[in-house]
Amino acid sequence: LVAALGMAPRSRPGSHGKASSEELLAFGANGDGQCGFADRAITSSVARSAALLPRVREVRQAACGASHVCVLTASGDAVVAGANDYGQLGTGDLVARQAPLHVRALSGLVVTQVSCGDQHTLLLAAPGHVWAFGSNYAGQLGLGIEAARGKHATPKALTRGNVRGVVCGGNHSILLLGDPSDGPACAVAFGSNAFGQLGSGRDGGHDEGAGVPIKVSAKVESAAAGRYHTLLIIEGGVWGCGRNVS
């Protein structure tokens, strides 16, 4: 994400350069503006770097979905761009954004972590609360069984607190609960379970309620997820579940 975030280009397309801790690189397909460039003609053959202006400060984290992105600034703001056909930008509408913009519904919150699925987004805000938006067709937003399936373009708060980490797969999500230094940490998952990626000990179906506890006996330190699988780093190694055909 570059110029529209208040950044000034520092190198020509196709040139080489080294990014400092205050630079953000964006490259790849840009048909929905997911690289933060208004020019849709920019393709994978182009890479651009840009320095953040003082008003934006440092970018602390960046996350990519199938065709959308979300970055967090040092001030705790969430900035989004790209496809929005499922409301995955949290702007309250289904209009794609070729130029990055702040998620205004979360103004005043300090967002500390972001993760993007194919068409959904989870944000973790201090002190341990989660906001979700985008596709909920498989229950991947974790809004509970009474929440409507479909598209949620306005950020919604999850009822669960004491969350220390959020991870999105293609159509499923994982929450890391508690502080691992305090004892065994719990991880829960919700959304699509077509390949057993929720770690519930079974496959098929989905969970859209409070979350399925992932069955591990050790502390869960961190997690990562692909479209159909999940990996957890626990004491003593890595634990995985989901599709394994490759």
Side-chain angles (χ1 to χ4, degrees), residues 166-194:
V166 294
V167 178
C168 293
N171 294 299
H172 71 290
S173 304
I174 300 100
L175 302 183
L176 303 181
L177 308 177
D179 187 335
S181 64
D182 294 334
C186 179
V188 297
F190 37 84
S192 173
N193 195 41

Side-chain angles (χ1 to χ4, degrees), residues 27 59 76 93 108 117 124 131 166 168 170 184 232:
F27 44 90
V59 170
D93 56 42
L124 178 62
W131 295 79
V166 294
C168 293
L232 301 176

Side-chain angles (χ1 to χ4, degrees), residues 2-103:
V2 282
L5 270 175
M7 306 183 221
R10 297 180 65 182
S11 62
R12 297 185 306 276
S15 64
H16 299 277
K18 182 178 179 180
S20 73
S21 60
E22 295 184 348
E23 291 184 326
L24 183 64
L25 298 176
F27 44 90
N30 193 48
D32 292 296
Q34 60 265 46
C35 285
F37 298 100
D39 184 0
R40 295 190 182 187
I42 294 175
T43 67
S44 58
S45 63
V46 178
R48 294 186 179 182
S49 64
L52 298 174
L53 295 182
R55 71 177 182 87
V56 178
R57 308 287 176 88
E58 294 180 346
V59 170
R60 293 297 176 86
Q61 186 188 0
C64 297
S67 298
H68 76 290
V69 295
C70 182
V71 300
L72 302 184
T73 68
S75 59
D77 294 323
V79 182
V80 292
N84 197 28
D85 46 340
Y86 291 89
Q88 59 263 50
L89 299 186
T91 55
D93 56 42
L94 303 180
V95 180
R97 299 301 200 281
Q98 280 74 45
L101 78 165
H102 289 76
V103 181

